[in-house]
Amino acid sequence: MKILFLHGWTSVPGGRKPTHLKKAGHEVLNPALDDDDFGLAVRTAQAEYDQHKPDVIVGSSRGGAVAVNMSSGDTPLVLLCPAWKNGGTGTTVKPNTVILHSRQDDVIPFAESEELIRNSRLSDDTLIETGADHRLADPEPLKAMLAACENLAWTEIERELLQSDWSGLCYTAAMRWAKDAKRLNWWLVHGTVFSGAMGKRIDHAWCEHRDTVVDLTMPVGSRVFSRATYYKTIQPDVTNRYSIDDVLFLSIRTRHDGPWDECERQGYAEVKSILDDPAISGRYLFPQDRTVEDPFVVKADGAELACFRRIVDPEAFTMIHFHGNGEAVADYVPFMADVFADMGLNSLFVEYRDYGGSTGEAKLVAMLGDGEAAMIAAGIEPEKAIVFGRSIGSLYAIELTHRQPNIGGLIIESGIADPSERFLTYADLESAGFDEADVKTEVKRFFNHKQKLSGYTKPLLTLHTENDGLIDISHAERNHKWSSSRQKQLVRFRNGNHNSIFHANKEEYLNAVGNFANSVQR
């Protein structure tokens, strides 16, 4: 796991406690905190937290006071003899907090931690008595600190996996960890290791995340290693590494947990999701060949996207537009570019692969990063952008706000809440050997709009007609509900259908978009 360790007054990074955590296989962030300026120390810690999003924060002595005064959401805290009365204004801690303190502490009284627990209305077992002095650097408190971090940071399912019996099931165990662990960037590794019991090298599977290795076939309590320790003692010889995308794809394709032979692996590097298979993408997407003159060409992962860009004021906001299925950028320019220009907005209309003069193949998952590539190519700052997604374009608009959370605003018109409902309508699963559960698993991984919108806090405008016979208005209601936006509006039009929503409600439609754009730019 990733741990942010905040040291005490006059201490320095790299002390015994963070070193102990690192030796246990965890990634430790250990910034130097200013001893004299408490506000600066908090800002330093906050910047480290915002950049790296640790799984748990450990604060020692004055570092505990820093942790109490940070904005750290629901990230767990482990506080070591916290000097919370010696800096800042924080007087309570969050529920997922553990405090370690020694009654023999002659620097920060044990009673102060008892008071902090009472202030926070937490149970007495939140405070653990350990150690013989303020430093908490002896084996017993170090062990307690590590246990507290792991108990707080591991999810329930991760703890279950770490405690289960996986004897003789290394491939299944590694697969389960790669799929179910909360970090989505674990690598599943296949290779050989030296077995002392058998006196020879054997085939094996384990998982890695940066400097951490998880091997579930090891004894319970000794399944998490630093990478250096694991490679020194187990002596692995790596044959293949698989990302979580590869793992899901191969397991669905082959119907087993590995190892996968060369024949089974063939093609997995080119196709990262079954959703990009012709049986799904090829049946759902309808590329159009209508083109624009003088396109703004964007290079995206080997493809060239024939986008359109208009600048009316280099300092103005930009509307980034994603059109619907069976449409092309050419259907929207110049007239929608003119509409946005009248609102004082620049515009960038993003074209999809194999649509409107773009090269490449139209694939649902492969195109997820194209909007971000277009925004970067155009030099648009996220804070000065409003993202607009119509119909299938909502998938890519929501993805862009997920990748760039500082986007100024989001407009979803005739959008999709659960894409599996749409994909399954058109997919030819039988020809590819897929089933509905496979599709739903992949949609949850790549197009989980509930999860993505729950992290979106900027302004949101949702537009939908009550007579949409293609994408029911319940999709709009769900997207609107899922968003954590503090400024959101759902506009329900009584006229028009999925394809005539704009022209049937033109005045009301443009008023809603114009008012939203004005509010975002204030």
Side-chain angles (χ1 to χ4, degrees):
M1 76 186 74
K2 188 185 297 183
I3 300 172
L4 175 59
F5 188 93
L6 306 175
H7 64 74
W9 185 63
T10 70
S11 296
V12 295
R16 189 168 182 181
K17 290 187 281 290
T19 299
H20 183 75
L21 296 171
K22 188 172 183 179
K23 285 183 176 179
H26 303 299
E27 179 184 356
V28 180
L29 310 168
N30 193 192
L33 305 178
D34 192 279
D35 284 333
D36 301 316
D37 188 331
F38 185 80
L40 177 57
V42 172
R43 291 192 296 275
T44 299
Q46 188 70 56
E48 199 81 3
Y49 174 85
D50 292 341
Q51 179 180 354
H52 297 286
K53 301 299 182 187
D55 301 297
V56 64
I57 299 172
V58 179
S60 177
S61 191
R62 181 173 180 267
V66 171
V68 170
N69 285 275
M70 289 172 57
S71 297
S72 57
D74 59 358
T75 303
L77 300 181
V78 175
L79 305 181
L80 314 176
C81 307
W84 62 277
K85 288 192 171 184
N86 295 359
T89 58
T91 59
T92 61
V93 290
K94 64 188 77 175
N96 52 340
T97 297
V98 169
I99 301 177
L100 307 181
H101 210 136
S102 169
R103 284 194 182 274
Q104 286 72 51
D105 189 338
D106 58 0
V107 178
I108 303 297
F110 187 84
E112 291 191 4
S113 286
E114 293 178 312
E115 182 181 348
L116 183 57
I117 294 301
R118 289 195 300 273
N119 291 349
S120 308
R121 298 183 179 181
L122 299 178
S123 60
D124 291 343
D125 59 6
T126 302
L127 174 57
I128 299 173
E129 181 181 348
T130 185
D133 55 28
H134 180 69
R135 295 178 63 248
L136 299 186
D138 296 326
E140 179 189 338
L142 290 176
K143 182 179 179 180
M145 174 187 66
L146 176 61
C149 289
E150 294 183 341
N151 288 336
L152 284 171
W154 296 127
T155 64
E156 183 177 347
I157 192 168
E158 287 170 340
R159 286 195 291 270
E160 179 183 340
L161 293 173
L162 287 167
Q163 295 296 320
S164 298
D165 181 9
W166 297 102
S167 301
L169 299 171
C170 68
Y171 292 102
T172 298
M175 167 71 74
R176 283 289 308 278
W177 185 268
K179 290 171 62 175
D180 294 341
K182 68 179 181 178
R183 299 174 188 80
L184 298 182
N185 50 351
W186 283 95
W187 287 87
L188 185 148
V189 186
H190 289 173
T192 63
V193 297
F194 180 77
S195 169
M198 301 178 69
K200 64 177 183 179
R201 301 195 68 81
I202 58 173
D203 293 334
H204 199 57
W206 62 95
C207 291
E208 297 183 6
H209 171 71
R210 297 184 180 176
D211 293 331
T212 304
V213 173
V214 170
D215 188 338
L216 295 178
T217 62
M218 293 295 177
V220 173
S222 302
R223 294 177 165 179
V224 182
F225 303 82
S226 70
R227 193 172 185 276
T229 299
Y230 188 80
Y231 273 70
K232 181 178 180 180
T233 56
I234 310 299
Q235 303 171 33
D237 183 11
V238 176
T239 55
N240 288 290
R241 293 178 183 272
Y242 302 99
S243 71
I244 185 59
D245 294 347
D246 304 332
V247 168
L248 292 172
F249 178 79
L250 285 167
S251 63
I252 291 173
R253 274 289 197 186
T254 65
R255 301 295 177 182
H256 67 83
D257 298 335
W260 299 293
D261 60 31
E262 185 175 353
C263 180
E264 291 171 322
R265 292 196 306 272
Q266 187 175 7
Y268 87 87
E270 287 75 34
V271 184
K272 294 298 186 183
S273 170
I274 65 168
L275 299 180
D276 284 348
D277 191 277
I280 300 175
S281 281
R283 301 271 296 184
Y284 187 71
L285 296 170
F286 295 93
Q288 304 297 304
D289 58 7
R290 296 180 293 281
T291 61
V292 296
E293 294 183 6
D294 192 25
F296 176 69
V297 178
V298 174
K299 293 184 178 180
D301 194 25
E304 291 189 348
L305 312 179
C307 305
F308 179 87
R309 188 183 185 199
R310 178 178 291 180
I311 301 175
V312 295
D313 179 356
E315 301 301 318
F317 274 64
T318 298
M319 185 73 78
I320 303 177
H321 186 275
F322 296 88
H323 62 72
N325 201 1
E327 300 176 348
V329 166
D331 300 334
Y332 287 87
V333 298
F335 89 95
M336 280 303 287
D338 294 339
V339 168
F340 295 145
D342 289 342
M343 296 177 183
L345 298 170
N346 304 317
S347 55
L348 172 63
F349 294 81
V350 180
E351 191 56 283
Y352 307 135
R353 302 183 191 194
D354 201 27
Y355 282 69
S358 296
T359 64
E361 293 183 73
K363 295 180 178 180
L364 289 161
V365 173
M367 299 191 302
L368 277 173
D370 289 359
E372 185 176 42
M375 187 186 78
I376 292 172
I380 300 169
E381 297 178 3
E383 297 82 358
K384 300 293 288 291
I386 301 172
V387 180
F388 188 125
R390 162 171 158 73
S391 189
I392 196 175
S394 64
L395 277 59
Y396 302 103
I398 291 171
E399 175 68 16
L400 181 53
T401 59
H402 178 63
R403 293 178 178 226
Q404 297 285 342
N406 291 325
I407 288 287
L410 171 63
I411 301 174
I412 301 175
E413 188 249 278
S414 307
I416 304 170
D418 182 359
S420 65
E421 298 174 22
R422 303 294 305 145
F423 300 163
L424 288 170
T425 301
Y426 298 90
D428 182 10
L429 301 184
E430 185 176 354
S431 69
F434 305 144
D435 57 36
E436 289 192 9
D438 296 335
V439 174
K440 290 178 179 179
T441 295
E442 290 290 89
V443 167
K444 186 175 182 180
R445 172 153 181 78
F446 292 103
F447 298 101
N448 190 338
H449 289 175
K450 182 177 182 179
Q451 181 185 63
K452 292 178 183 179
L453 288 171
S454 68
Y456 179 71
T457 61
K458 298 299 180 66
L460 169 67
L461 173 64
T462 305
L463 308 172
H464 218 103
T465 173
E466 295 177 347
N467 306 308
D468 193 325
L470 191 63
I471 300 173
D472 187 83
I473 196 169
S474 67
H475 285 264
E477 294 167 343
R478 280 176 278 171
N479 282 332
H480 178 78
K481 179 181 178 181
W482 291 338
S483 171
S484 295
S485 171
R486 294 182 289 270
Q487 178 189 331
K488 58 183 178 180
Q489 179 186 12
L490 171 57
V491 178
R492 309 167 67 105
F493 298 111
R494 294 185 178 181
N495 301 319
N497 56 34
H498 185 77
N499 293 317
S500 64
I501 181 174
F502 176 81
H503 293 290
N505 305 279
K506 187 173 182 180
E507 183 177 355
E508 187 180 357
Y509 186 111
L510 292 179
N511 283 339
V513 173
N515 291 336
F516 179 78
N518 288 335
S519 68
V520 170
Q521 295 177 84
R522 291 195 186 106

